[in-house]
Amino acid sequence: MNKQIKAFLIGGGIGNLAAAAFMIRDGKIAGKNISILEASALTGGSLDAGGNPESGYSFRGGRMFTTDNYECTWDLFKTIPSLVTKNKSVFEETVEFNELYRSNAQARLVDRRRAKVPVTSMGFSMDNRLELLKLSNADEADMGDSCISEWLSPSFFETEFWYMWVTTFAFQPWHSAVEFKRYLHRFMKEFSRIETLAGVKRTVFNQYDSLVRPLMHWLEAEGVQFVMDCTVTDLRLANDSELITVTGIECVRAGQKTLIEVEAGDLVFFQNGSMTDASSIGTMETPPVKLTKANSGGWKLWEKLAAGRPSFGNPAAFNSCIAQSFWDSFAVTLKYNPAFIDQLTRFSTNLPGTGGLVTFKDSNWLMSIVVPHQPHFASQPDNVQVFWGYALSPDRIGNFVAKPMSECNGADLLLELCGHLRFDLDTVQGAICLPCHMPYITSMFMPRLHSDRPLPVPKESNNLAFISQFVEIADDVVFTVEYSIRAAQMAVYQLLDINRHVPPITAHDKSVKVQFEAMLKSLK
Ligand SMILES: Cc1cc2nc3c(=O)[nH]c(=O)nc-3n(C[C@H](O)[C@H](O)[C@H](O)COP(=O)(O)OP(=O)(O)OC[C@H]3O[C@@H](n4cnc5c(N)ncnc54)[C@H](O)[C@@H]3O)c2cc1C
């Protein structure tokens, strides 16, 4: 292998950061030969988090992991040193942290009377069980681009299982049945402990501080070049042979058009599509502005490349219906006022960081909140607390605010939340709530055909790989950090011909014990 090759990585999300690390660690490519071209001013893509107590902390998502899955993620982070725990890897630090703070949700579902819903039963009828069994045993080739509601009857969507599973993973009845089936298999171990979320693992801080920062630190020390404020607008492609070869990268860097020559043997990795494209953040006084792909341009390059090239996928399957792919989240910063967290702790009996999600199952918006272990930001002062929430039906009028969630400012969201909890508004006195609108957040769950997603390295590609939530990886599930990191590892190993195995997906669904536990659970 020619170690002098250069690699150009379009997009600075966790997928491409991981690709750079795999190239250096396993491909022995020099860091200085790797350039990451990122449209925004920050790396980390969807794994962002920032802010301060004065203007409020913001994080679009609060992420759950498992150590029973996430094989490629931990394979990577076993190599990356922690920035806070001396002589420990990020993986070791995470495992130790989760031994101290175990997920054991005690208020997973809360009803309209603010009563905790008993959740030991999944609430299935015999018909529901049979439908679920049929769906989980169906063949992907036969399922086509069917949606979940074509497989499950209306009563299924009222079961405790549905409320817990979909608020953990963010599915809707109109989403891809194939993806739902994959989740049932990939996370079968979570099925029997879904009511306590006992299998869920968290990072020490938010994922920007705990994953992106240490990885960036390692990559920078290796000499990787970060080119920020650089939007790639087109790729120059040659297909004089059977294979398509990228020969040039057209970009706009700090407002200036630039062409980067790609020489023979060089590699290009492209992050096609992003779940947080066109997302926007509001304030306590103003709702987030509503943007679309037309404002952001984040999908444009994939659309250009895929036009007339079926092996590069079909972005329209994912980004054509915001009404089916959007939801809103919010991040709350509580300053010098512990009343909200104190009351919630008394109600849920979960200390921060142990409760997983609290879902208001009868709320019109289907709203959930999560209180992480504090501090959630490396820089967070002692007398400041943060938590995160989201809702799967933000297009509906609220129960306590006569507006759809997507039209609410931060103050409206706090009013709605305190209404469901029957907490006085004093508990959030001085709080800063930052709403976030994400038009494509579940775009990767949209019904799809197998051909709608390119392979990480399409068959006709000579030097171009796709790394994202929108590539086809057999059996793995999207809306996970793992998926992007797995795509990165597969693409890098294939293009650099690395003689090391990508960690296989652990087949929990083939374990008789796991199957038996899931069956018992479904019978409760
Ligand atoms: C609210 C929320 C909750 C989540 N919960 C979980 C969870 O519980 N567990 C879990 O595992 N995962 C979760 N995720 C998913 C996880 O965060 C994502 O799957 C992952 O971060 C995606 O990473 P990526 O690198 O593939 O893409 P992204 O992070 O989207 O990065 C793509 C990057 O490419 C850049 N880019 C794209 N096109 C161009 C171009 N033409 N030129 C230059 N730059 C370009 C973009 O600006 C962006 O920075 C959640 C995500 C969100 C938003």
Side-chain angles (χ1 to χ4, degrees):
M1 190 199 316
N2 172 11
K3 305 289 192 252
Q4 295 315 311
I5 60 171
K6 290 205 249 21
F8 301 96
L9 281 60
I10 303 166
I14 190 73
N16 264 350
L17 299 181
F22 289 128
M23 271 189 266
I24 296 167
R25 186 188 76 178
D26 303 330
K28 308 297 172 214
I29 302 293
K32 66 179 172 45
N33 287 358
I34 300 173
S35 303
I36 296 187
L37 316 172
E38 167 56 49
S40 71
L42 266 184
T43 52
S46 301
L47 283 188
D48 66 328
N52 55 57
E54 284 67 47
S55 44
Y57 287 102
S58 114
F59 42 120
R60 286 179 289 203
R63 286 164 198 86
M64 295 176 275
F65 297 82
T66 79
T67 40
D68 292 315
N69 308 87
Y70 286 74
E71 302 81 1
C72 299
T73 305
W74 302 127
D75 180 53
L76 170 65
F77 281 101
K78 279 176 185 168
T79 312
I80 306 301
S82 155
L83 290 182
V84 282
T85 324
K86 231 177 157 199
N87 300 326
K88 296 262 185 237
S89 67
V90 169
F91 171 71
E92 290 167 321
E93 153 193 283
T94 310
V95 168
E96 278 182 11
F97 175 77
N98 282 279
E99 273 160 16
L100 291 176
Y101 304 99
R102 289 173 188 267
S103 299
N104 182 21
Q106 295 300 305
R108 185 63 192 82
L109 299 181
V110 174
D111 72 11
R112 63 171 63 80
R113 296 176 297 266
R114 206 201 72 155
K116 290 178 211 164
V117 178
V119 282
T120 42
S121 165
M122 298 291 99
F124 291 139
S125 66
M126 194 48 80
D127 283 349
N128 297 149
R129 290 186 190 104
L130 291 173
E131 286 171 347
L132 194 62
L133 198 61
K134 188 172 168 214
L135 168 54
S136 66
N137 285 323
D139 190 333
E140 283 193 13
D142 299 332
M143 296 170 85
D145 59 356
S146 61
C147 60
I148 299 168
S149 57
E150 289 172 56
W151 292 80
L152 304 174
S153 52
S155 67
F156 194 95
F157 302 111
E158 296 302 325
T159 60
E160 276 74 23
F161 169 77
W162 175 257
Y163 282 110
M164 291 191 281
W165 194 260
V166 299
T167 51
T168 304
F169 299 120
F171 277 101
Q172 298 279 12
W174 52 82
H175 284 153
S176 161
V178 167
E179 192 61 30
F180 191 75
K181 178 210 147 149
R182 284 194 185 193
Y183 261 77
L184 291 171
H185 284 267
R186 183 79 156 116
F187 291 127
M188 195 176 282
K189 235 182 154 176
E190 305 321 309
F191 186 95
S192 49
R193 51 192 183 188
I194 191 71
E195 76 280 19
T196 57
L197 295 168
V200 165
K201 302 290 189 298
R202 306 276 181 182
T203 51
V204 176
F205 297 118
N206 64 75
Q207 293 72 53
Y208 187 79
D209 283 342
S210 286
L211 299 181
V212 176
R213 264 189 215 285
L215 183 52
M216 284 285 296
H217 189 79
W218 190 87
L219 294 172
E220 275 165 354
E222 292 287 338
V224 171
Q225 312 287 310
F226 290 90
V227 186
M228 309 308 291
D229 190 11
C230 176
T231 302
V232 174
T233 50
D234 208 352
L235 298 183
R236 296 202 176 167
L237 304 176
N239 37 355
D240 33 10
S241 66
E242 302 265 285
L243 295 175
I244 298 172
T245 304
V246 183
T247 58
I249 299 173
E250 293 178 16
C251 46
V252 177
R253 190 176 168 187
Q256 298 289 314
K257 280 190 182 176
T258 317
L259 175 68
I260 299 170
E261 305 276 357
V262 177
E263 291 169 10
D266 291 350
L267 303 175
V268 177
F269 297 82
F270 169 45
Q271 301 223 260
N272 55 310
S274 170
M275 63 175 74
T276 50
D277 187 56
S279 69
S280 52
I281 295 181
T283 68
M284 275 296 276
E285 297 79 29
T286 50
V289 288
K290 289 197 178 126
L291 305 174
T292 72
K293 65 187 176 113
N295 311 103
S296 77
W299 296 86
K300 241 183 223 152
L301 182 56
W302 186 20
E303 287 171 340
K304 254 187 210 172
L305 296 175
R309 293 187 191 93
S311 71
F312 285 5
N314 171 27
F318 305 100
N319 67 16
S320 299
C321 186
I322 289 175
Q324 291 176 32
S325 70
F326 91 98
W327 45 256
D328 290 11
S329 69
F330 54 97
V332 181
T333 304
L334 301 157
K335 294 192 288 183
Y336 329 120
N337 182 2
F340 182 90
I341 300 289
D342 287 350
Q343 285 201 29
L344 188 65
T345 303
R346 270 202 299 281
F347 169 69
S348 66
T349 71
N350 275 122
L351 288 170
T354 67
L357 290 155
V358 176
T359 294
F360 304 101
K361 85 175 254 295
D362 297 323
S363 66
N364 293 346
W365 297 345
L366 192 49
M367 186 191 234
S368 302
I369 54 169
V370 186
V371 182
H373 177 261
Q374 308 290 315
H376 194 49
F377 284 78
S379 63
Q380 188 181 322
D382 279 349
N383 49 11
V384 171
Q385 296 155 305
V386 300
F387 68 94
W388 180 81
Y390 88 109
L392 280 171
S393 301
D395 47 348
R396 299 193 193 146
I397 302 291
N399 301 77
F400 299 90
V401 175
K403 281 189 257 185
M405 181 185 188
S406 55
E407 288 173 20
C408 286
N409 61 29
D412 297 329
L413 297 181
L414 292 176
L415 187 63
E416 179 79 12
L417 175 60
C418 286
H420 289 293
L421 281 165
R422 292 350 188 234
F423 285 2
D424 286 337
L425 277 177
D426 289 354
T427 56
V428 290
Q429 178 68 39
I432 302 172
C433 174
L434 301 179
C436 175
H437 183 67
M438 295 177 280
Y440 301 105
I441 183 69
T442 56
S443 51
M444 61 286 155
F445 278 173
M446 293 295 282
R448 59 170 192 261
L449 294 170
H450 189 265
S451 54
D452 287 331
R453 305 191 295 185
L455 293 172
V457 183
K459 288 204 171 62
E460 293 139 45
S461 167
N462 182 32
N463 66 346
L464 172 64
F466 293 87
I467 293 179
S468 73
Q469 299 286 304
F470 303 88
V471 295
E472 183 56 43
I473 302 175
D475 301 329
D476 207 357
V477 294
V478 287
F479 213 146
T480 59
V481 168
E482 171 69 9
Y483 203 81
S484 301
I485 296 183
R486 181 172 291 277
Q489 199 163 9
M490 288 171 69
V492 167
Y493 283 22
Q494 185 174 340
L495 284 180
L496 291 179
D497 200 15
I498 291 173
N499 188 15
R500 180 175 184 266
H501 284 299
V502 173
I505 289 173
T506 317
H508 295 300
D509 59 336
K510 304 286 186 302
S511 147
V512 175
K513 181 170 181 282
V514 173
Q515 288 177 354
F516 186 67
E517 284 167 355
M519 188 197 63
L520 284 184
K521 191 74 182 181
S522 76
L523 290 172
K524 281 191 179 165

